């Protein structure tokens, strides 16, 4: 204690390091590869695949419920894998989950070919075999560890220990777990017993009897020891090693058994001194643990404050429920195999996967070059996951493990809108009724982001490839990696890091970095013209001339021939009046003056109510001719790029082009 006080913070950090190393070393206890036989498997065998699935199932189960006991059975015949893992009842759920993952990872390295294996940690026991392990008692291998120090009065110690263990066994037989203490001279004796939860009371009793019988040859008269087999465990110490808060139920009163037979030997006259030293060390350790916990809590409060307003404790629990284990996703995607790959985008590859429960998912494996931090990434995922609307793709969760960042989405069967409207064959599947439904659905989805979600969200990259279609051709907006978030009373912002796709960008955003809800309105207008015409905005061809779609629609609108901008495939499949009205709405959305553009609330009203009078549109905004259609990010520099408006005049705009570095993008192929 004097040494700690005199050395100050440097020694405190050293003590914390030494104690933490000790804790890490004590977590793992032992492992055994193979039992009755040494039947092996190969890395490309069916047994290996079944084993991976079983282990992933255990991890997934531990992540979704806090029972502390998880089982899995995969395959059949000689390739069947039976696996189970159980945690001590006094262990916190997060520590249990960590122990399950650590034990699986360690067995993958240590027992990478045997069809049977057991591993013991302080907090959990993991077993797997190609034989039956459920509801069976396995007493081999028997593993033990004892404290080398003898009790000062070994006869009395053995008697008190025997009484304690017998009482604990009565409780453990019924509840599969028991812990407690008894008085011994200057200190207490603490004991713990645990059985695998799948055992019956009789099986648990027999298993613990075998461990108690082993005390004579293992640990009699010692001040600490533990004896473990695959099905049960026993431990005693002269210090408290279990969580009293969780394991607080008192054991039932039962008649005491005969005491543990004494072992003759000399008393250790130095034992009281050793006990005092041990108690002092334990006291220092507890104090350091408390200090570390306080430090971590304050640090966590600092790091979790402030990317998004209104963060609260709900977000902490949300991050746990949304987080997937990396091993689970590996198995679901067949280890990210090429056969499961849906596409490759600028921010990473997308894979189709199937979870253990049969649910289909789309997994975005983000590029490892992303500079986004873990807490920022998790905060963004939590917020997007809370967006619930029929016209938004649902984010199911995420995985952040090492350098891996994964986003898990619902799987939408019909890919993206651009696969249909820009395909000469597939666009015939979209008659006017379907196209009108898609336009209305996208409008309602954007309205939800702007006005009805928890925060005001500006998408900033609305385009045909970011609108996915389900089996009934209902639209779902995807890709919130470029979205910007605001409080509900905020409407606009400025950025020097412009992301998105030219041709869909509002001019004030593309040129000056100014964005608002009207930026999304502009993109929506371009998208509507594409849906109506079946042509891409940046590659629209009018006879021998190539021009942008908005210019063509505006010119025909002024000349009284707006139907020229309508796809011939749909002209006779619905109301031409509805189609022309949609062109009118689109031209209102792409006006150059931000104030003249309608809000999405007004757009939804225009689409749903034909009695609503539409304003007269003005000339569309100018566009960037040379790089339309490219997805870029740029910041102000001295490199000149020519920008032209509708009247043919030109302006010089200083831009520097670079690869987009947004955190994540849509989960489906372009």
């Amino acid at each position: 204690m004097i040494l700690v006080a005199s050395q100050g913070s440097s020694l405190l950090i050293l003590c914390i390091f030494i104690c933490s190393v000790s804790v890490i070393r004590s977590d793992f206890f032992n492992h055994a590869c193979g039992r009755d036989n040494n039947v092996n498997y190969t890395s490309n065998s069916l047994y290996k695949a079944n084993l991976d699935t079983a282990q992933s199932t255990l991890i997934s189960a531990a992540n979704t419920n806090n029972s502390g006991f998880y089982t899995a059975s995969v395959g059949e015949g000689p390739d069947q894998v039976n696996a189970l893992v159980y945690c001590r009842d006094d262990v916190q759920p997060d520590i249990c989950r960590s122990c399950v993952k650590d034990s699986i990872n360690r067995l993958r390295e240590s027992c990478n070919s045997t069809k049977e294996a057991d591993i013991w940690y302080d907090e959990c026991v993991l077993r797997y075999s190609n034989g039956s392990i459920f509801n069976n008692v396995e007493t081999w291998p028997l593993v033990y560890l004892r404290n080398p120090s003898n009790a000062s009065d070994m006869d009395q110690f053995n008697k008190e220990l025997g009484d304690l263990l017998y009482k604990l066994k009565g409780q453990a037989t019924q509840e599969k777990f028991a812990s407690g203490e008894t008085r011994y001279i200057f200190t207490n004796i603490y004991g713990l017993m645990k059985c695998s939860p799948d055992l019956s009371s009789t099986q648990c009793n027999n298993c613990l009897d075998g461990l108690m019988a082993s005390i004579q040859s293992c640990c009699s008269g010692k001040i600490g020891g533990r004896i473990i087999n695959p099905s049960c465990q026993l431990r005693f110490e002269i210090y408290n090693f279990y969580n009293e808060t969780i394991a607080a139920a008192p054991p039932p009163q039962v008649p005491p058994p005969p005491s543990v037979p004494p072992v003759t030997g000399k008393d250790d006259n130095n034992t009281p001194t050793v006990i005092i030293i041990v108690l002092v060390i334990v006291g220092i350790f507890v104090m350091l643990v408390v200090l570390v916990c306080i430090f971590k809590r304050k640090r966590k409060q600092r790091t979790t404050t402030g990317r998004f307003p209104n963060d609260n404790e709900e977000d902490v629990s949300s991050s746990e429920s949304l987080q997937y284990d990396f091993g689970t996703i590996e198995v679901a995607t067949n280890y990210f195999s090429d056969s499961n790959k849906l596409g490759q985008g600028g921010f990473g590859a997308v894979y189709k996967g199937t979870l253990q429960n049969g649910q289909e998912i789309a997994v975005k494996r983000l590029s490892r070059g992303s500079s986004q931090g873990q807490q920022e990434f998790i905060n963004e995922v939590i917020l997007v996951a809370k967006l619930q609307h029929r016209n938004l793709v649902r984010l199911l969760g995420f995985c952040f493990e090492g350098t891996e960042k994964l986003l898990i989405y619902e799987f939408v069967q019909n890919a993206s809108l651009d696969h249909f409207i820009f395909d000469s064959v597939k666009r015939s599947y979209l008659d006017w009724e379907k196209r009108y439904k898609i336009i209305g659905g996208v409008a309602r989805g954007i309205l939800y982001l702007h006005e009805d979600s928890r925060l005001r969200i500006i998408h900033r990259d609305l385009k045909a490839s970011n609108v996915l279609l389900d089996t009934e051709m209902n639209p779902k907006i995807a890709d919130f990696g470029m979205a910007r978030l605001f409080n509900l009373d905020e409407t606009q912002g400025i950025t020097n890091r412009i992301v998105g796709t030219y041709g869909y960008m509002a001019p004030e955003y593309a040129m000056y970095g100014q964005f608002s809800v009207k930026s999304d309105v502009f993109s929506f207008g371009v998208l509507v013209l594409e849906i109506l015409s079946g042509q891409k905005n940046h590659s629209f061809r009018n006879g021998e001339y190539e021009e942008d779609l908005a210019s063509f629609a505006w010119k025909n609108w002024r000349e009284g021939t707006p139907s020229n901008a309508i796809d011939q495939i749909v002209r006779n499949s619905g109301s031409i009046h509805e189609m022309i009205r949609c062109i009118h709405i689109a031209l209102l959305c792409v006006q150059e003056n931000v104030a003249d553009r309608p809000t999405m609330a007004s757009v939804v009203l225009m689409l749903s109510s034909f009695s609503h009078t539409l304003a007269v549109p003005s000339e569309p905004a100018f566009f960037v001719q040379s790089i339309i259609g490219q997805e870029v990010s740029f910041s102000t520099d001295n490199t000149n790029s020519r920008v032209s408006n509708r009247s043919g005049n030109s302006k010089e705009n200083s831009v520097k082009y670079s690869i987009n570095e947004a955190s994540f993008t849509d989960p489906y192929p372009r």
Side-chain angles (χ1 to χ4, degrees), residues 426-445:
K426 290 184 179 179
R427 76 167 185 257
S428 63
Y429 300 156
L430 298 180
D431 57 18
W432 175 241
E433 182 181 356
K434 291 187 177 68
R435 298 192 194 198
Y436 193 66
K437 180 172 71 171
I438 292 170
I439 292 172
V442 173
R444 288 189 293 273

Side-chain angles (χ1 to χ4, degrees), residues 53 97 230 475 495 559 625:
T53 302
R97 283 191 288 271
T495 181
E559 295 174 356
Q625 288 180 325

Side-chain angles (χ1 to χ4, degrees), residues 508-522:
E508 71 277 3
Y509 176 52
M511 296 181 63
Y512 308 114
Q514 299 172 354
F515 59 92
S516 65
V517 291
K518 297 296 184 71
S519 306
D520 283 348
V521 171
F522 181 93

Side-chain angles (χ1 to χ4, degrees), residues 177-447:
F177 174 82
S179 63
E181 61 185 274
T182 189
R183 189 67 182 169
Y184 165 68
I185 308 180
F186 302 115
T187 185
N188 289 342
I189 304 173
Y190 298 88
L192 180 147
M193 286 181 164
K194 172 67 180 174
C195 285
S196 181
D198 58 318
L199 300 184
S200 67
S201 296
T202 301
Q203 289 174 319
C204 178
N205 182 76
N206 294 340
C207 187
L208 293 175
D209 277 344
L211 299 186
M212 292 177 65
S214 301
I215 292 179
Q216 172 67 27
S217 56
C218 156
C219 319
S220 181
K222 302 297 182 181
I223 61 173
R226 67 178 84 177
I227 309 173
I228 297 176
N229 65 37
S231 294
C232 60
Q233 56 184 281
L234 174 158
R235 183 178 180 185
F236 63 94
E237 306 285 355
I238 59 169
Y239 61 89
N240 191 347
F241 57 90
Y242 53 81
N243 190 327
E244 284 186 297
T245 303
I246 299 178
Q253 298 295 323
V254 294
S259 61
V260 178
V263 177
T264 58
K266 296 181 179 180
D267 291 344
D268 186 353
N269 294 328
N270 294 324
T271 298
T273 303
V274 172
I275 293 174
I276 294 173
I277 293 174
V278 169
L279 292 176
V280 170
I281 292 174
V282 171
I284 294 174
F285 175 74
V286 171
M287 180 183 68
L288 293 177
V289 169
V290 171
L291 291 174
V292 170
C293 291
I294 294 174
F295 172 76
K296 284 186 175 181
R297 185 170 183 178
K298 289 185 177 180
R299 183 178 180 183
K300 184 174 183 180
Q301 289 174 345
R302 289 196 301 269
T303 58
T304 56
T305 300
R307 173 154 191 227
F308 306 128
N310 302 326
D311 287 339
N312 50 40
E313 294 180 357
E314 181 184 355
D315 288 347
V316 177
S317 60
S318 295
S319 66
E320 295 179 358
S321 62
L322 293 170
Q323 190 160 9
Y324 284 73
D325 178 75
F326 184 72
T328 301
I329 303 303
E330 276 189 312
V331 173
T333 59
N334 194 20
Y335 296 88
F336 301 100
S337 66
D338 290 339
S339 61
N340 282 46
K341 192 172 183 178
L342 296 174
Q344 179 76 38
F347 309 104
V350 185
Y351 299 85
K352 181 180 179 181
T354 304
L355 297 176
Q356 188 70 25
N357 61 6
Q359 181 181 9
E360 291 184 321
I361 57 174
V363 179
K364 184 74 172 180
R365 193 178 193 182
L366 301 182
S367 302
R368 298 189 179 184
S370 172
S371 60
Q372 190 180 35
Q374 178 177 0
Q375 193 59 51
E376 184 183 17
F377 172 80
I378 293 174
N379 283 351
E380 186 168 346
V381 170
I382 290 172
L383 185 66
V384 175
K386 290 181 178 179
L387 302 178
Q388 299 291 331
H389 192 276
R390 62 176 299 184
N391 296 118
L392 301 181
V393 171
R394 190 158 60 96
L395 180 66
L396 303 178
F398 70 96
C399 172
F400 194 113
E401 189 167 314
T403 60
E404 293 285 356
K405 294 179 184 178
L406 307 179
L407 294 165
I408 296 91
Y409 292 87
E410 65 171 320
F411 182 75
V412 183
Q413 291 80 355
N414 279 330
S416 53
L417 175 61
D418 62 326
H419 282 75
F420 287 85
I421 60 171
F422 301 144
D423 187 279
S424 59
V425 177
K426 290 184 179 179
R427 76 167 185 257
S428 63
Y429 300 156
L430 298 180
D431 57 18
W432 175 241
E433 182 181 356
K434 291 187 177 68
R435 298 192 194 198
Y436 193 66
K437 180 172 71 171
I438 292 170
I439 292 172
V442 173
R444 288 189 293 273
I446 294 297
L447 174 60

